[in-house]
Amino acid sequence: MSNKWTASKIYTYILTKLAGAGFILSLIGLFLLINNRFDLFDFSETLSTPFLWVILYGYGIFCSLVIDLLNLKYNLNDVVRRGLYIGAGFIIFLIQGVNLITIMAGVIGAGSAFLFYIAMNLSSKSKLFKYIFSIALPIILVIVASLDFTVKKHWVERLDHTNKTFSAEFDYFNGHHEIPIHVEKGNTLTFSVDIINKNGGGHGLHILDDHNNLVGINETNNHTYSLKAEREQAYKIVLKGDDLQGSYFVKWTVEE
C-alpha cells in the first residue's frame, strides 16, 4: 500500500473491503436459498441474523485491516497474507471450545476467509465486480432480510382479550404470527400453547420484547411457559410454522 492516501484511494480501499464481505454474504445467501428449497421466509429469517453481519462486516473487515497493517510494516508475501486470513477465519469459531462442531465451523470459516481475500483481489481488478458485491447485492439482501414472506392459506383466527385466548385454524402456514400482550412491570406472564399438527410440518415459538429482542422464558410444565416483566411493555408471543397444516390455541394469564 502506498503511504500517500487520497480521497479516491480511501474510497476504493473501503469498497474493496466491502466487496470481500459482500461476496461471502452473496455466497451464503445462495446457499441458504438452495438449502431451504427457495423458501423465502426461511431465507429472509436466516439472512437477518445479526451474528452473520457482525462476523462478515465486523470481524471480517477488522481482521483484514489488521493484516493490511502488518503487511505495511513487515511487507508480507502473498502466502503469509493468505495464511493469516485462513487462520483468522478458523480461530474465531474456537472461542467457545474445541469440539467437532466448532472445528467444522472453523474449516468453513477458514474457507470463507480465503474467498474473502480472493474477492478483494478481484474487486481491485474489476470495477463491475467491486460495485456489484460492495453495494448492489448487499443492499438487495438487506431489503430481502427486512421483508416478511409469511404465507397463510385459509387462516381463520380468533383473538379474545377478555378471556385471554387466541386460536387459529389453517390449511397452510409458513412463517410467523405475533400475539401482543401488554404486561406491567413486575407482573408475570404465563401462557400455554397447544397445537394440532395435521401434516407433520414444523412449528415453534419464541418471545420478543417491544424492541424485537428475544426474551428468555421458563417452561413450567409441558407446553406452559412464563416470564416476569422487567419493565412495562408489550411482549409478543411469536408462533412459527414451517409448511404446517393444523391449528394453534394459546391461553395466557397476567398476575402480580
Side-chain angles (χ1 to χ4, degrees):
M1 291 187 300
S2 172
N3 290 326
K4 188 175 181 180
W5 288 90
T6 64
S8 177
K9 282 187 176 181
I10 293 173
Y11 175 71
T12 300
Y13 180 75
I14 292 173
L15 286 186
T16 298
K17 300 300 180 189
L18 293 176
F23 181 74
I24 302 303
L25 180 64
S26 300
L27 289 181
I28 293 174
L30 179 61
F31 170 78
L32 291 174
L33 268 179
I34 296 174
N35 188 59
N36 293 326
R37 304 186 304 277
F38 295 91
D39 185 324
L40 289 177
F41 175 79
D42 284 341
F43 172 66
S44 174
E45 188 175 58
T46 306
L47 196 62
S48 63
T49 305
F51 177 77
L52 176 64
W53 296 83
V54 170
I55 285 292
L56 291 178
Y57 286 89
Y59 177 76
I61 291 178
F62 171 76
C63 288
S64 182
L65 293 173
V66 171
I67 293 171
D68 283 350
L69 290 174
L70 291 174
N71 181 50
L72 186 64
K73 185 174 182 179
Y74 299 108
N75 192 25
L76 306 174
N77 61 44
D78 191 53
V79 174
V80 173
R81 291 199 300 274
R82 291 183 181 185
L84 289 174
Y85 273 91
I86 292 172
F90 182 82
I91 199 170
I92 182 63
F93 293 98
L94 303 183
I95 293 177
Q96 294 184 343
V98 179
N99 53 58
L100 181 60
I101 294 177
T102 57
I103 290 175
M104 290 177 61
V107 171
I108 295 173
S112 299
F114 177 70
L115 292 175
F116 187 108
Y117 176 79
I118 297 298
M120 287 195 304
N121 287 339
L122 290 174
S123 70
S124 66
K125 299 174 182 178
S126 169
K127 285 187 177 180
L128 180 62
F129 184 97
K130 180 185 301 172
Y131 284 102
I132 286 176
F133 289 104
S134 66
I135 298 176
L137 278 178
I139 288 177
I140 292 174
L141 292 177
V142 166
I143 293 173
V144 170
S146 66
L147 297 176
D148 182 7
F149 291 96
T150 294
V151 177
K152 300 173 180 176
K153 294 181 180 179
H154 301 113
W155 175 279
V156 179
E157 68 174 71
R158 301 174 187 86
L159 178 60
D160 186 342
H161 283 290
T162 302
N163 295 315
K164 298 181 174 59
T165 61
F166 168 86
S167 63
E169 298 177 0
F170 45 87
D171 288 340
Y172 181 82
F173 176 35
N174 190 70
H176 68 262
H177 181 83
E178 299 179 349
I179 307 170
I181 301 173
H182 184 81
V183 184
E184 300 283 346
K185 179 180 178 180
N187 287 357
T188 298
L189 168 64
T190 302
F191 64 96
S192 61
V193 179
D194 294 311
I195 179 172
I196 295 177
N197 188 336
K198 293 183 178 180
N199 68 338
H203 56 86
L205 67 90
H206 59 270
I207 304 294
L208 298 176
D209 63 16
D210 54 5
H211 296 299
N212 288 324
N213 297 316
L214 283 171
V215 177
I217 55 178
N218 301 311
E219 186 170 3
T220 56
N221 55 56
N222 194 27
H223 307 305
T224 301
Y225 311 87
S226 68
L227 66 87
K228 187 172 183 178
E230 296 181 353
R231 59 186 175 85
E232 181 181 352
Q233 61 180 308
Y235 289 95
K236 288 175 283 190
I237 301 174
V238 183
L239 305 175
K240 182 179 178 182
D242 185 2
D243 297 333
L244 179 66
Q245 179 185 12
S247 64
Y248 273 110
F249 180 77
V250 181
K251 184 175 181 61
W252 68 90
T253 61
V254 179
E255 300 175 339
E256 295 183 2

